[in-house]
Amino acid sequence: MGKVTVAVAVIGGAAVCAAAALVVRHRMQISKQCVKSADILKELEEKCATPTSKLRQIADAMTVEMHAGLASEGGSKLKMLISYVDNLPTGDEEGVYYALDLGGTNFRVLRVQLAGKSGIEFQEFAEVSIPPQLMVGTSEALFDYIAAELAKFVADESEKFRLPAGRQRELGFTFSFPVLQLSIDSGTLIRWTKGFSIGEMVGKDVVAELTKAMERQGVDLRVSALVNDTVGTLAGGRYDNKDVFIAVILGTGSNAAYVERAQAIPKWHGPHPKSGEMVINMEWGNFRSSHLPLTEYDNTLDAESLNPGEQIFEKMISGMYLGELVRRVLCRMADEAALFGDTVPPKLKTQFILRTPEMSAMHHDTSSDLKLVGNILQDVLEIPNTTLSTRKIVVEVCNVIATRGARLAAAGILGILKKTGRDTIKDSEVPKTVIAMDGGLYEHYKEYRHCVKNTLNELVGDELAKHIKLIHSEDGSGIGAALLAASHSQYI
Ligand code: ADP
Ligand code: MG
């Protein structure tokens, strides 16, 4: 009996030892994976680094391109488009107006009643997501879909929004793509960006296309202002705050607009505006510079995108792309460092599967075991049982990509401040600069939003930072378009 017991004990001991050895080997493998992944992470951090000196170079390059884009049509990657808005809302606007805001993901329709100094009395919204197949189909299909939604929205109009008999409804059309405007209410599409690609639309007047679709759908609405979302946000922001001077969108894509002196626009050959000013839609998404910290992930994302070689700045900073950049880094870690096991998880190979809202949720996970990160890896990428160290690496990748994006966005803002002479304290008269910010990325990605603000403060210094304010202009682009429709109404 005794012998047997001993024998069992020996066998049991061997089993325990073998299991322990397995655990040790497994741990060593994990730590080896993590060490290799950490190397890739370190390389990523180095390549994505945005020290203040680099941001200043980027801001300077932005300023140079702004000058070039204003000098002549096609003079720069920055289109610096003339918006035909030379007067921003004053607060005296009155009447019922409609707005249609076509972004990169959704479109919104709204109805506002402007009541002069007593403000916006009432507004109604309807938000509709754009079916992906319509983003790459025909212009007729896209605009018919939008016009049909507009028809439903107009049909729902309540008594209090009725216009006097014989007066046509008027619409401000916010169109968040590069358009060469010919007047306040017309403009031809230069090219698509974000997820859109409808070749036959390029070169066509977007207002004419919408108007034809509204006629087909039996909607009686006149487009009285065509505005970019940045211009709409600037107008909406100015309505609330007279110091709003710049607008920046950080949503699916990214862009900025600001108020320029008409005399500083050599390519403008139209009549000199009474205000002496003109709003410029920069189309800053297409900015590029040798100072931008581009990585292999950016280069392959760009090469495989719908618009290779274009919108390089946008691809580094905006909501459509941040999650995809994280996915590309994780893919390399999975492939070269076996971060998620012996094989690359199949889902991780799918482009755009990891969206920025999920990246943001992982980045903000404050639980001690990063449970939410584990859940997202499981639910979105079908990667089960991740260890805490793996999750930590994933969060760090999100942090590096978001931080780079936010710091570059702040450098872009510094570029505008420099161009307009608002970047230094020259004398005691420091103009107050309020920047109207909007877009789902800015609104929902807290770490990103804070990083934009902190970086801007770091760049301008504490003293000047007191005179520069970022405000979130919620739905400013739609309301701004309605306000511009009012100031360009056929009835005034
Ligand atoms: P658009 O740019 O299409 O006009 P929005 O301004 O609403 O629309 O921005 C939508 C974009 O904002 C999404 O494509 C996404 O990238 C980003 N976004 C939305 N929600 C979040 C979130 N919770 N965290 C991070 N980014 C988000
Ligand atoms: Mg938008």
Side-chain angles (χ1 to χ4, degrees):
M1 279 292 283
K3 267 185 193 167
V4 173
T5 312
V6 169
V8 169
V10 169
I11 292 166
V16 168
C17 282
L22 258 177
V23 169
V24 169
R25 208 174 326 140
H26 185 58
R27 281 217 185 110
M28 275 170 58
Q29 261 171 6
I30 290 176
S31 60
K32 227 161 119 194
Q33 288 155 7
C34 289
V35 167
K36 266 196 165 175
S37 298
D39 287 345
I40 297 175
L41 180 61
K42 189 157 169 278
E43 183 196 307
L44 178 77
E45 278 166 348
E46 285 164 7
K47 295 223 164 112
C48 290
T50 48
T52 317
S53 54
K54 189 180 252 311
L55 295 181
R56 290 196 191 288
Q57 288 173 320
I58 291 167
D60 286 342
M62 181 73 83
T63 309
V64 168
E65 293 300 326
M66 290 172 80
H67 277 284
L70 290 172
S72 63
E73 218 54 83
S76 160
K77 285 245 165 219
L78 286 190
K79 288 261 174 231
M80 304 298 286
L81 298 166
I82 290 165
S83 68
Y84 286 81
V85 173
D86 53 19
N87 265 309
L88 285 164
T90 56
D92 293 329
E93 294 74 11
E94 285 187 341
V96 171
Y97 291 91
Y98 279 76
L100 164 65
D101 183 351
L102 177 62
T105 312
N106 300 310
F107 68 89
R108 304 175 187 90
V109 285
L110 58 143
R111 183 161 39 224
V112 300
Q113 187 160 53
L114 308 169
K117 291 283 181 250
S118 21
I120 298 174
E121 260 192 11
F122 209 88
Q123 42 189 268
E124 292 179 358
F125 296 88
E127 182 161 322
V128 186
S129 68
I130 305 163
Q133 72 275 14
L134 289 185
M135 298 180 182
V136 291
T138 64
S139 80
E140 204 172 294
L142 174 67
F143 281 108
D144 272 344
Y145 183 79
I146 293 168
E149 290 297 328
L150 265 172
K152 279 192 245 164
F153 187 66
V154 170
D156 273 353
E157 189 181 74
S158 58
E159 200 51 50
K160 69 165 85 142
F161 288 98
R162 283 288 135 76
L163 288 165
R167 183 163 170 146
Q168 196 180 16
R169 292 184 189 89
E170 292 181 289
L171 172 94
F173 180 18
T174 306
F175 185 72
S176 316
F177 301 92
V179 163
L180 188 65
Q181 294 215 214
L182 310 167
S183 63
I184 184 69
D185 60 0
S186 66
T188 55
L189 177 65
I190 296 172
R191 57 186 145 76
W192 289 106
T193 56
K194 300 174 265 191
F196 282 71
S197 180
I198 306 172
E200 38 126 350
M201 261 298 288
V202 175
K204 283 192 187 164
D205 180 357
V206 291
V207 173
E209 292 304 300
L210 174 64
T211 303
K212 278 190 275 175
M214 290 195 297
E215 279 165 12
R216 287 194 294 270
Q217 300 293 328
V219 199
D220 185 24
L221 264 171
R222 176 184 172 268
V223 178
S224 48
L226 169 65
V227 298
N228 185 264
D229 55 348
T230 52
V231 178
T233 302
L234 190 61
R238 175 65 70 90
Y239 185 73
D240 290 333
N241 185 326
K242 67 172 179 37
D243 293 320
V244 167
F245 187 77
I246 298 170
V248 175
I249 301 284
L250 291 159
T252 307
S254 180
N255 190 9
Y258 72 105
V259 181
E260 182 58 278
R261 287 178 303 119
Q263 284 192 327
I265 314 173
K267 71 177 177 182
W268 170 247
H269 301 300
H272 190 74
K274 267 202 212 117
S275 64
E277 294 177 335
M278 176 65 79
V279 173
I280 297 293
N281 161 20
M282 290 177 62
E283 287 298 333
W284 87 1
N286 201 38
F287 172 68
R288 105 173 278 175
S289 151
S290 57
H291 299 298
L292 286 176
L294 283 162
T295 64
E296 63 187 83
Y297 312 105
D298 300 291
N299 295 337
T300 50
L301 180 151
D302 175 47
E304 293 165 26
S305 70
L306 283 173
N307 51 351
E310 288 169 9
Q311 303 294 106
I312 300 299
F313 193 53
E314 175 167 271
K315 286 171 182 163
M316 300 175 88
I317 70 175
S318 81
M320 177 163 169
Y321 304 101
L322 295 182
E324 171 62 6
L325 286 169
V326 169
R327 183 197 68 82
R328 284 172 183 267
V329 178
L330 295 182
C331 229
R332 181 169 163 217
M333 288 177 168
D335 184 31
E336 292 180 20
L339 180 65
F340 302 114
D342 293 340
T343 54
V344 179
K347 280 265 157 139
L348 187 60
K349 294 183 195 161
T350 312
Q351 279 196 34
F352 291 100
I353 195 164
L354 184 67
R355 298 171 331 119
T356 304
E358 281 122 23
M359 165 191 178
S360 158
M362 293 199 288
H363 195 173
H364 292 106
D365 188 356
T366 50
S367 63
S368 57
D369 57 349
L370 296 176
K371 191 167 186 327
L372 192 64
V373 177
N375 290 348
I376 290 175
L377 292 174
Q378 162 83 64
D379 298 345
V380 178
L381 301 173
E382 293 178 5
I383 305 172
N385 308 324
T386 41
T387 63
L388 182 57
S389 30
T390 297
R391 293 174 191 181
K392 281 185 180 164
I393 288 174
V394 172
V395 173
E396 201 38 43
V397 173
C398 297
N399 185 37
V400 174
I401 297 294
T403 302
R404 183 188 68 162
R407 288 179 66 81
L408 290 177
I413 296 174
L414 177 64
I416 306 175
L417 294 172
K418 276 177 175 275
K419 171 70 183 73
T420 51
R422 289 170 179 251
D423 63 317
T424 46
I425 301 177
K426 292 193 189 80
D427 43 49
S428 53
E429 273 293 291
V430 185
K432 237 188 160 173
T433 305
V434 178
I435 306 168
M437 308 288 298
D438 200 12
L441 177 67
Y442 185 80
E443 186 180 351
H444 301 295
Y445 202 146
K446 198 176 75 196
E447 286 287 336
Y448 185 103
R449 184 173 63 242
H450 288 171
C451 186
V452 173
K453 186 175 189 308
N454 294 340
T455 309
L456 192 59
N457 287 356
E458 170 189 324
L459 288 170
V460 299
D462 288 345
E463 207 38 50
L464 186 59
K466 288 183 201 149
H467 303 272
I468 297 172
K469 204 169 144 197
L470 300 179
I471 55 162
H472 177 211
S473 172
E474 209 170 349
D475 270 310
S477 58
I479 292 165
L483 287 161
L484 291 169
S487 52
H488 295 90
S489 163
Q490 62 187 318
Y491 301 105
I492 57 167

